[in-house]
Amino acid sequence: MKYDFTSVIDRRGKDAMAVDAVGKFPGLMAPEDGFDFIPMWVADMNFATVPTVQSAVAERLAHPTFGYFITRNEYYQAIMDWQEKRNAVKGLRKECIGYENGVLGGVVSALNAFATPGDAILVHSPTYIGFTGSIQNAGYKIVHSPLKQDEDGVWRMNYEDMDVKIKKNKIHVAVFCNPHNPTGRVWEKEELEKALEVYRNNDCIVISDEIWSDIVLNGHHHIPLQSVNEDARNRVIALYAPSKTFNLAGLIGSYHIIYNSYLRDRVRACSSKSHYNSINMLSMYALIGAYSSEGMEWVDELQDVLSENVNYAYDFIMKNFDGVTLSKPEGTYMLFLDCRKWCEAHHAEVGDLLKAGQKVGVGWQDGRPFHGEHSIRMNLALPFTRVQEALERLNKHVFQNT
Ligand SMILES: Cc1ncc(COP(=O)(O)O)c(C=O)c1O
């Protein structure tokens, strides 16, 4: 490997929520003596970002003026090149790209453009916790259409249920997650087509969160929802960011792609009203450094590293953790463990299992706020040795396999 995905970086004291919130955030217990903490919860990575991010920011920092600025053409060009090379997007123009202060901020602006507080919004469940918080905080009512696991354990959409719920609740805006957090599904073309048919038949605008688009594993490919057909191009508001891909969440800096000028004008009208939705100069340089040829190589390597972690963890868990089932993620670096059988066998709640792991330093996360009744979410974006260590600890101390 050209880049370093094996060094264990000490993030303590460097403002990282993943490690500095331990013992301070509810539900995140500090480990007992003798165990160090392994961060496996909030969705960021324990890898150094691609060096071109730091060099691009450092180079600009060396110049001593930081006054009002304009977004460089390279910023837009980097996004157009990235989307073309990574996602086979053709014909993306600068005018279709717009800065967003976070993907969730973009979701809320888009909701405000096409719905009124009190309106129902269709979202699949299990659901990313950030959707629940931001959609409800903005005053909307979430209607869930549950994903269901098929006979092979693969999470699938239920198109009939989506259609019924949309009609019943007079829904005209849906939030879609592609790839899906927390199940790790990388939706296939046929699935996207069927979902789009339901949205089209019901006059639904779709806000497609594609923040995980670069984190696809084991040869899976991301398909932008907008690229599925001409109707989708005009129906879908897509949100992207380099933050998940390159571990840049602390720098803030997401963007939308909206082809249809009416949708675009409405979203921009809403997002501009707060006067907060402005790019930070350093985050602009971070994106340019990330969306570079080095960044592409780095992401290729990252995908291999994460695939190896996921494959190892999946096999280990299926072999050793009695009462835990799991659908192997195709994208993201999250496992969504179903611990129902363990809970039943131990007359316990998922919270008990969670605590038992946290005691020995495994900082996994409660899956219940993600609408997984007996679930635990586990972040695998760590050097392989740390993933191994966490699983060994769980095996020995929690599942009591010697
Ligand atoms: C699906 C999804 N959307 C959005 C976000 C957060 O994006 P942002 O920090 O840009 O608001 C996350 C973070 O985990 C996520 O998983």
Side-chain angles (χ1 to χ4, degrees):
M1 290 245 162
K2 179 169 169 189
Y3 298 102
D4 180 6
F5 295 97
T6 53
S7 296
V8 178
I9 301 175
D10 187 358
R11 301 173 74 192
R12 287 173 303 171
K14 294 292 177 203
D15 322 299
M17 188 192 281
V19 292
D20 285 347
V22 178
K24 295 181 190 142
F25 272 26
L28 193 65
M29 265 172 41
E32 286 177 346
D33 287 350
F35 296 101
D36 65 338
F37 180 75
I38 306 178
M40 304 186 98
W41 63 290
V42 65
D44 71 11
M45 303 196 282
N46 296 275
F47 302 123
T49 191
V50 62
T52 44
V53 165
Q54 274 181 295
S55 55
V57 173
E59 203 177 305
R60 180 59 188 84
L61 263 179
H63 190 277
T65 69
F66 300 98
Y68 291 113
F69 75 107
I70 49 171
T71 310
R72 295 178 85 84
N73 216 28
E74 285 100 309
Y75 171 84
Y76 296 102
Q77 195 58 52
I79 292 173
M80 291 185 280
D81 290 347
W82 187 265
Q83 289 291 340
E84 183 170 350
K85 293 196 177 110
R86 305 302 297 188
N87 294 333
V89 169
K90 298 265 180 288
L92 175 58
R93 295 185 320 275
K94 179 178 167 181
E95 74 210 47
C96 303
I97 302 167
Y99 174 76
E100 291 292 348
N101 247 349
V103 161
L104 290 177
V107 168
V108 172
S109 293
L111 286 174
N112 290 342
F114 298 104
T116 302
D119 283 355
I121 308 296
L122 192 81
V123 184
H124 291 114
S125 64
T127 312
Y128 164 51
I129 191 172
F131 288 150
T132 310
S134 58
I135 297 171
Q136 286 177 349
N137 281 343
Y140 301 98
K141 195 176 109 197
I142 297 175
V143 173
H144 286 123
S145 178
L147 303 174
K148 286 221 171 77
Q149 284 174 282
D150 67 14
E151 55 281 9
D152 300 318
V154 180
W155 291 94
R156 301 280 180 197
M157 288 182 257
N158 181 342
Y159 308 104
E160 205 183 310
D161 180 75
M162 288 164 66
D163 188 62
V164 167
K165 298 232 167 97
I166 288 175
K167 288 195 164 69
K168 185 168 166 224
N169 296 284
K170 304 194 186 315
I171 290 174
H172 289 284
V173 187
V175 174
F176 191 74
C177 196
N178 177 35
H180 186 264
N181 175 15
T183 66
R185 269 316 305 286
V186 176
W187 303 113
E188 286 155 22
K189 183 139 190 252
E190 200 192 341
E191 295 174 295
L192 296 175
E193 279 168 352
K194 285 188 181 155
L196 280 164
E197 201 181 320
V198 176
Y199 297 133
R200 190 185 61 237
N201 289 343
N202 291 287
D203 269 331
C204 252
I205 283 168
V206 187
I207 303 167
S208 186
D209 177 338
E210 311 207 356
I211 195 169
W212 289 98
S213 55
D214 298 309
I215 316 278
V216 284
L217 311 171
N218 292 311
H220 285 274
H221 288 289
H222 171 70
I223 304 173
L225 188 61
Q226 285 169 324
S227 73
V228 170
N229 55 40
E230 191 54 31
D231 179 77
R233 210 175 152 85
N234 285 301
R235 179 175 305 285
V236 175
I237 294 157
L239 294 158
Y240 289 91
S243 56
K244 209 55 72 191
T245 317
F246 292 97
N247 215 23
L248 305 178
L251 286 176
I252 311 290
S254 311
Y255 60 93
H256 63 235
I257 296 178
I258 313 175
Y259 292 101
N260 179 286
S261 65
Y262 170 69
L263 300 193
R264 198 162 65 222
D265 288 349
R266 292 308 310 139
V267 171
R268 288 182 186 173
C270 281
S271 62
S272 66
K273 298 289 190 294
S274 69
H275 295 268
Y276 283 130
N277 194 37
S278 307
I279 190 166
N280 177 302
M281 182 200 284
L282 297 182
S283 106
M284 172 179 77
Y285 279 94
L287 181 142
I288 293 169
Y291 281 5
S292 58
S293 51
E294 290 86 346
M296 293 204 194
E297 277 182 292
W298 188 88
V299 174
D300 288 342
E301 291 193 358
L302 174 74
Q303 289 176 351
D304 289 344
V305 167
L306 293 175
S307 298
E308 196 184 335
N309 286 1
V310 164
N311 295 345
Y312 176 82
Y314 177 80
D315 292 344
F316 190 97
I317 290 167
M318 297 309 272
K319 181 164 166 242
N320 296 301
F321 293 3
D322 267 354
V324 177
T325 55
L326 170 64
S327 172
K328 191 172 184 173
E330 300 164 344
T332 83
Y333 42 70
M334 292 295 183
L335 299 184
F336 201 53
L337 308 173
D338 182 348
C339 310
R340 178 189 296 273
K341 289 189 186 135
W342 185 92
C343 291
E344 282 167 5
H346 293 82
H347 307 289
E349 289 191 0
V350 78
D352 301 315
L353 185 55
L354 202 64
K355 274 191 207 143
Q358 291 187 359
K359 271 189 191 170
V360 296
V362 176
W364 53 4
Q365 186 177 21
D366 195 343
R368 288 171 294 188
F370 294 77
H371 298 275
E373 209 188 332
H374 300 278
S375 299
I376 293 183
R377 202 174 78 131
M378 198 171 181
N379 176 339
L380 296 183
L382 299 104
F384 182 68
T385 52
R386 296 264 77 195
V387 172
Q388 258 183 327
E389 171 69 22
L391 292 169
E392 295 293 351
R393 281 188 207 172
L394 290 173
N395 198 31
K396 184 165 172 205
H397 301 283
V398 179
F399 293 93
Q400 259 106 40
N401 296 318
T402 44

